[in-house]
Amino acid sequence: MRFPFVVLGAARRHLPIGGLVRSGDRILRGRQQGIVALVAVLALSSGTATAATLDSLPTAPERYVVEQWTTRDGLPQNSVTDILQDREGYLWITTFGGLARYDGRTFRIFDMDSEAGLDVARFMSIFEDASGALWLGGERGRVLRFEEGHFEDVDVPVGVGGSPIIGFAQQADGTVWAATKAGPVRWHDGEPTVVELPAGAQDREVRSILVDAEDRVWAGIVGGPVCISGDCPTAPPLVEGLGAAHALARHLEFGLLSLSREGLAAGIVPGEGWLAEVKDAGWAGGVFHEPRTGRIWFTAYDSVYVGKPGAFERVELSTGKYHIRALLLDRAGAVWVGTDGGGLLQIRDRHVQVHGEAAGLASPSVRTVLPDPEGGLWVAAGCNVLHRLNGDAFETHPLPSEAGCIGPMAWGEDGALWYAGGPRLYRRDLAGDTLVATLESDVLALHPSPSGWWVGTGGAGLLHLTGGVASAVPGAEPLSAGSVRVIARAPNGALWLGTDAGVAILMDGSLRRLGGEEGLGAGAVRAIHIDPDGVAWVGTYGGGLTRIDEAKVDRFGRSEGLCDHVVSAIIPGDDGALWMNGNRGVFRVQRVSI
């Protein structure tokens, strides 16, 4: 039996305490409700009039962690020209002082001092071919192939010598291509050839090379990207005065991204489909599309930008102003940046973004959050007010003065928002807020019933509300003097009730209790989640996590990897895991069979 627990809390990730927490593109609840994905639908800007200008872009919030490695950390030189992650996961870094391999802890250096027969140290580019061999492009036209610990020269065509080898790409049949000042170079069956560029090319220099999803080869030249091999589309005219595409990337929707001194463009038509404009992006740098999140990353001189069309931001590097030569997304989702003088940088998503008083909340103490059908999020923070997170901005909605501090919230069958403040239960719709009922005890939990609401209270047990009238629930009378903090309904129709003394299960008017003698963790029950197959997960205050499968009960605490014995929320994520939170942070549990 093994459950992996992943901690996202303060001890591991320096999570600020207080407020509403956003994880990547998700919202993690404050106390009572679930995780919801926020989807931004962004249109492609067409034409220079609607493209973003980099000078006007905001700095990204403190969402990214930036780390730096230089010669002090083991790099052979601080000018990093290219970065590659190989099939085994190693990171390879080319510099003007040799080649380095990084295993996550240390750098292994390959240079003229360490490798017999290696007589070049100034590398411009690196590429892994389909066989796993590494191709290295030198500053003065040398091409090396590294395989099984040995370096060997690769023949280059006459006229390429002395030209920097800027980048590589490979087609499905094994043909390798390179970008050089002498033109695009092709190695087919081991034979090197310089390939002619289309008519109208202003010079022979190729600044970038890419093989797209259709196995077509694109070259970045002055005037725009051009297709030079494969089933090429009808070639649009090159644009006079348009800078060369010094970086190309594949995009799932746009097909092609090209980065030139004028900025970032989408599509194959030069000068159209601008996404971001800049006076001069320089010849070095990179661009890529991150399919998992839909974000585009690109560089301009000493800055890194990220976002989607219409919503780009600049990442604050805080490591000095160094021109950027390389950009890579690794398989773990981290972004690696090669700089000219600043060494190697890594940009990681903090995963956690805190929204507190500075973001517009009345209080950093968030009691409940609730997603709405329109993609927003309702937040109960402070008293006599609700907030709605719409995109990245909070709207403030005043409540009746007697509402007080809001506890549970839920959506009714009628589409209205129901919420409780102390013993008062309200209904909110377009017409405003209506007081539906005032109970004898504070409302702690709400769950819809076929004819109204099941209501958990702080001193009157479980009640049923219908037509504005609350009444006792048959079979639940033994709970009438206690608190019901959580209500969950099982697939078989049973109500699972979380109380200060354990779990009570109400089925067909009969009440069954589960406590310490039945294997349940000690402490008040704070959360219950029931899987579609009937397996129940119970979180307690002080007693950790309990899994209940028919008559089998398993308990989990710190000794099993839980970061805390307090589990106050259990929410299923679309990754198949259960997300939980406690006093020490947010963590996730992968379901496995026991």
Side-chain angles (χ1 to χ4, degrees), residues 190-551:
E191 292 296 323
T193 308
V194 176
V195 176
E196 291 297 322
L197 291 172
Q202 298 179 37
D203 60 36
R204 296 193 56 79
E205 184 174 358
V206 176
R207 274 73 163 188
S208 57
I209 200 87
L210 173 78
V211 174
D212 69 12
E214 285 74 40
D215 205 36
R216 301 174 297 196
V217 182
W218 294 84
I221 65 174
V222 172
V226 294
C227 182
I228 58 175
S229 179
D231 186 14
C232 293
T234 301
L238 295 170
V239 178
E240 185 175 355
L242 183 66
H246 59 75
L248 296 170
R250 293 157 57 167
H251 191 285
L252 295 179
E253 180 184 352
F254 306 149
L256 191 69
L257 296 173
S258 58
L259 185 65
S260 66
R261 68 188 182 195
E262 288 82 12
L264 178 66
I268 65 174
V269 181
E272 296 185 9
W274 290 111
L275 305 182
E277 289 187 281
V278 61
K279 293 179 180 179
D280 190 347
W283 66 271
V287 59
F288 65 80
H289 173 227
E290 188 178 2
R292 182 180 61 85
T293 63
R295 295 181 297 191
I296 297 171
W297 293 75
F298 67 98
T299 68
Y301 277 122
D302 56 12
S303 297
V304 176
Y305 298 88
V306 61
K308 300 177 183 179
F312 287 112
E313 298 173 320
R314 182 174 60 86
V315 178
E316 183 61 55
L317 297 180
S318 302
T319 52
K321 297 293 185 180
Y322 302 101
H323 288 182
I324 294 171
R325 288 181 171 269
L327 196 65
L328 171 78
L329 174 70
D330 72 18
R331 290 192 287 276
V335 175
W336 296 84
V337 182
T339 72
D340 192 2
L344 179 69
L345 309 181
Q346 183 199 61
I347 303 173
R348 287 185 291 106
D349 199 320
R350 289 183 187 270
H351 296 292
V352 177
Q353 180 181 348
V354 176
H355 300 274
E357 289 177 296
L361 292 182
S363 167
S365 178
V366 175
R367 299 170 62 87
T368 314
V369 299
L370 177 71
D372 68 24
E374 297 178 357
L377 196 76
W378 290 86
V379 181
C383 300
N384 302 317
V385 68
L386 284 178
H387 302 278
R388 183 176 184 268
L389 182 63
N390 186 6
D392 285 322
F394 281 100
E395 305 165 351
T396 300
H397 297 261
L399 300 179
S401 59
E402 68 275 9
C405 298
I406 304 306
M409 298 187 293
W411 293 104
E413 295 290 337
D414 54 2
L417 174 64
W418 291 67
Y419 63 90
R424 290 169 289 277
L425 188 61
Y426 294 86
R427 179 183 180 276
R428 181 183 181 86
D429 59 16
L430 294 177
D433 300 272
T434 303
L435 177 63
V436 177
T438 300
L439 307 182
E440 296 179 2
S441 300
D442 288 349
V443 177
L444 304 181
L446 284 174
H447 195 286
S449 77
S451 59
W453 295 92
W454 283 298
V455 182
T457 72
L462 179 69
L463 301 175
H464 186 256
L465 182 76
T466 182
V469 177
S471 58
V473 177
E477 290 85 358
L479 304 175
S480 60
S483 298
V484 173
R485 300 180 178 276
V486 187
I487 305 172
R489 194 175 187 187
N492 64 1
L495 287 181
W496 285 60
L497 310 173
T499 76
D500 290 344
V503 170
I505 304 173
L506 182 63
M507 179 71 174
D508 297 330
S510 177
L511 192 70
R512 180 165 65 101
R513 292 179 180 270
L514 297 177
E517 294 183 358
E518 290 75 25
L520 191 71
V525 173
R526 288 289 186 87
I528 300 175
H529 169 74
I530 304 176
D531 288 335
D533 60 1
V535 173
W537 302 78
V538 179
T540 66
Y541 192 92
L545 176 68
T546 304
R547 181 184 186 273
I548 304 171
D549 184 1
E550 295 181 348

Side-chain angles (χ1 to χ4, degrees), residues 8 15 20-28 35-40 61-64 290 292-293 295 297 308 313 333 348-355 389 391-392 579 586:
L8 297 178
L15 170 64
L20 178 68
V21 180
R22 171 175 290 178
S23 174
D25 289 327
R26 300 191 177 284
I27 298 293
L28 301 184
I35 301 174
V36 59
L38 297 184
V39 180
E62 294 184 4
R63 173 177 177 174
Y64 300 103
E290 188 178 2
R292 182 180 61 85
T293 63
R295 295 181 297 191
W297 293 75
K308 300 177 183 179
E313 298 173 320
R348 287 185 291 106
D349 199 320
R350 289 183 187 270
H351 296 292
V352 177
Q353 180 181 348
V354 176
H355 300 274
L389 182 63
D392 285 322
W579 290 74
V586 178

